[in-house]
């Protein structure tokens, strides 16, 4: 049984709730504080991919099967050009079998609901905006905008890209996140049937002029999509006089089916523009009894679909290390957590950023060269490198003490 009495978790997103679920499994009581007055987009937002490594981490806290039950298993990752030419096709059944865990597409709300149930709604305090935190001889105290306070043995900052906890740790000043130069227009649309979007394939289309388009089926009725536009491309997308849907339809009018039909089927209110940011890899995730996880520690661009996966991994590892920690050893344990996790997260941040730069090409000649390189190397070299990074054994080497793992789920 853990000897730490209580943890304060700031942020009720994926990283915060995963950490809290892991801590509770270790016998450490938690309170989770969320600035928003309601879960909002966490319960109604779009979809995303969770790869094998995320399910392996979720298995450590007994939640992999519950998440997979609400997801659709991906069997192929297919890369195409904006002319419809197939550039690469990665079969995922083999990696799924080797990892003993699937790659899946799902709604964000599915994962959030499973994590919320694991933590318990009674432990989640909505509408509690952190203003700062301070340590004393007895632990750490969180101060909130409404004048309330909370005390714990450790405070976990899981409050996202523009983390208040991160800024507080750095004396009130933190450089802004690094803008990647492109926006993801994300949406879920109702598009039943298999004729346009077959189940089990994640489609990744690369175009000219700084445009990309990603899509996959989430279930029998719904399709998730991302239209990624560079700043230069976005300058030609007239959202002042046109609706978002009409403007994107115009920008992608020459792309192959079913891109146009996916966009035109989507309601205006469902299309959410998300400017993409990260932070260059850096240390300083912990200070005394305060530590960062998820986007507060290692935000990354969307190009590897690993933002959620790395938040899950960090939450699981942190919870286990704190579960074996004496109260006086919290600062040293948090430093050890950063040492265990930072190299892997830094690899993800750097690789994802580099992939994103490929999509910024505007010259037709450069885009043709990129497509030739993808056709020649993505089915071999790029695939091997991606899986080497994704299924790196550093998570397995991190000290973990959990209940017996669930049986391996291949689909």
């Amino acid at each position: 049984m853990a000897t730490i009495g209580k943890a304060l978790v700031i942020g009720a997103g994926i990283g915060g709730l995963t950490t809290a679920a892991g801590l509770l499994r270790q016998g450490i009581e938690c309170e989770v504080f969320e600035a928003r007055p309601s879960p909002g987009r966490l319960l109604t937002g779009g979809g995303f991919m969770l790869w094998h490594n995320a399910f392996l981490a979720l298995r450590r806290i007994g939640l992999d099967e519950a998440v997979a039950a609400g997801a659709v298993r991906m069997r192929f990752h297919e890369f195409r050009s904006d002319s419809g030419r197939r550039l690469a096709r990665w079969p995922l059944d083999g990696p799924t079998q080797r990892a003993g865990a699937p790659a899946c597409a799902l709604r964000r709300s599915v994962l959030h609901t499973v994590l919320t149930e694991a933590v318990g709604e009674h432990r989640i305090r909505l509408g509690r905006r952190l203003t700062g935190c301070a340590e004393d001889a007895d632990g750490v105290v969180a101060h909130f905008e409404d004048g309330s306070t909370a005390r714990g043995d450790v405070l976990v900052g899981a409050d996202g890209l523009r983390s208040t906890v991160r800024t507080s740790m750095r004396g009130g000043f933190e450089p802004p996140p690094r803008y990647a130069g492109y926006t993801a227009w994300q949406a879920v649309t109702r598009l039943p049937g298999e004729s346009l979007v077959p189940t089990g394939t994640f489609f990744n289309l690369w175009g000219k002029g700084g445009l990309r388009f990603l899509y996959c089926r989430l279930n029998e009725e719904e399709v998730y999509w991302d239209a990624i536009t560079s700043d230069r491309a976005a300058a030609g997308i007239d959202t002042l006089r046109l609706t978002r849907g009409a403007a994107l339809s115009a920008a992608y009018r020459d792309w192959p089916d079913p891109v146009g039909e996916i966009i035109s089927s989507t309601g205006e209110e469902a299309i959410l523009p998300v400017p993409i940011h990260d932070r260059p890899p850096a240390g300083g995730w912990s200070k005394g009894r305060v530590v960062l996880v998820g986007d507060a520690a290692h935000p990354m661009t969307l190009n590897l679909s690993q933002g959620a996966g790395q938040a899950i991994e960090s939450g699981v590892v942190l919870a286990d290390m704190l579960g074996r920690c004496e109260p006086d050893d919290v600062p040293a344990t948090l430093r050890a957590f950063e040492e265990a996790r930072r190299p892997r997260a830094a690899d993800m941040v750097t690789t994802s950023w580099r992939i994103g730069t490929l999509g910024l090409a505007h010259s037709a000649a450069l885009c043709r060269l990129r497509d030739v390189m993808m056709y020649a190397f993505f089915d071999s070299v790029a695939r091997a490198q991606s899986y080497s990074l994704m299924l790196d054994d550093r998570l397995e080497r991190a000290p973990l003490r959990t209940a017996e793992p669930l049986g391996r789920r291949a689909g």
Side-chain angles (χ1 to χ4, degrees):
M1 182 66 66
T3 54
I4 293 176
K6 184 178 181 181
L8 309 178
V9 179
I10 310 301
I14 292 171
L17 291 178
T18 300
T19 305
L23 289 168
L24 289 166
R25 194 174 177 102
Q26 296 291 340
I28 299 173
E29 188 51 56
C30 294
E31 276 190 287
V32 181
F33 300 90
E34 171 58 48
R36 286 168 288 196
S38 66
R41 183 172 173 263
L42 291 172
L43 291 181
T44 60
F48 63 108
M49 284 285 296
L50 278 184
W51 290 91
H52 318 282
N53 60 301
F55 281 99
L56 289 172
L58 286 168
R59 179 174 299 151
R60 299 282 187 165
I61 56 174
L63 298 180
D64 62 316
E65 292 189 341
V67 174
V72 59
R73 173 178 161 183
M74 291 292 104
R75 302 191 63 191
F76 298 97
H77 185 184
E78 186 163 307
F79 300 85
R80 293 183 177 181
S81 71
D82 59 359
S83 68
R85 180 193 183 197
R86 182 188 291 176
L87 302 174
R89 181 174 168 91
W90 296 359
L92 303 182
D93 286 350
T96 291
Q97 185 175 9
R98 289 192 296 275
C104 291
L106 66 160
R107 267 190 174 271
R108 183 173 296 271
S109 57
V110 169
L111 178 57
H112 190 266
T113 297
V114 170
L115 292 172
T116 297
E117 291 175 354
V119 173
E121 290 187 7
H122 63 285
R123 294 187 175 92
I124 302 173
R125 320 290 183 221
L126 298 174
R128 301 286 289 277
R129 184 176 297 279
L130 185 80
T131 58
C133 54
E135 290 188 53
D136 58 28
D138 298 318
V140 61
V141 179
H143 297 268
F144 298 95
E145 194 173 65
D146 61 4
S148 63
T149 62
R151 176 179 290 279
D153 297 297
V154 62
L155 184 145
V156 179
D159 50 342
L161 178 67
R162 293 174 174 84
S163 166
T164 300
V165 178
R166 184 183 180 111
T167 301
S168 177
M169 289 169 61
R170 287 155 172 76
F173 174 77
E174 175 69 5
R178 176 174 61 172
Y179 177 50
Y182 46 92
T183 294
W185 304 76
Q186 302 178 341
V188 172
T189 185
R190 187 177 182 277
L191 204 62
E194 296 283 314
S195 59
L196 291 176
V197 181
T199 298
T201 299
F202 181 71
F203 293 94
N204 192 335
L205 278 64
W206 292 68
K208 296 178 285 293
L211 295 177
R212 287 183 280 160
F213 198 88
L214 319 175
Y215 64 97
C216 66
R217 182 162 293 284
L218 292 175
N219 50 53
E220 293 179 353
E221 298 291 324
E222 294 179 313
V223 169
Y224 169 67
W225 60 270
D226 253 332
I228 301 173
T229 64
S230 71
D231 283 355
R232 184 171 169 183
I237 298 177
D238 188 355
T239 55
L240 295 178
R241 292 183 299 172
L242 300 174
T243 65
R244 293 172 181 173
L248 289 169
S249 290
Y252 289 87
R253 62 183 176 274
D254 296 325
W255 285 52
D257 294 336
V259 172
E261 289 147 292
I262 290 173
I263 296 172
S264 64
S265 72
T266 307
E268 178 73 6
E269 70 287 347
I271 303 174
L272 180 67
V274 181
I276 303 302
H277 296 79
D278 73 355
R279 291 188 185 276
W285 295 4
S286 69
K287 183 178 181 181
R289 293 178 173 270
V290 180
V291 66
L292 304 173
V293 299
D295 282 352
H298 44 71
M300 60 193 68
T301 58
L302 75 174
N303 300 292
L304 285 173
S305 298
Q306 280 289 338
Q310 292 308 298
I312 290 168
E313 285 188 9
S314 286
V316 169
V317 173
L318 175 62
D320 189 81
M321 294 179 76
L322 286 173
R324 296 176 291 104
C325 171
E326 298 288 337
D328 291 343
D329 295 334
V330 168
T333 298
L334 299 185
R335 291 193 298 270
F337 159 74
E338 178 179 351
E339 183 179 349
R341 284 290 303 154
R342 185 156 56 91
R344 175 162 167 77
D347 285 348
M348 294 288 185
V349 171
T350 300
T351 303
S352 187
W353 181 271
R354 288 173 177 168
I355 293 172
T357 62
L358 295 175
L360 297 177
H362 283 263
S363 156
L366 284 177
C367 290
R368 285 195 297 270
L369 177 61
R370 180 198 65 206
D371 290 353
V372 168
M373 297 291 287
M374 291 176 72
Y375 185 81
F377 297 111
F378 258 51
D379 271 336
S380 54
V381 176
R383 182 183 179 209
Q385 290 178 343
S386 293
Y387 270 97
S388 176
L389 180 63
M390 184 193 312
L391 296 177
D392 187 295
D393 66 353
R394 275 177 285 202
L395 177 65
E396 297 297 325
R397 290 205 307 266
L400 291 168
R401 178 182 60 82
T402 58
E404 287 299 312
L406 297 173
R408 294 200 166 192
R409 183 185 181 92

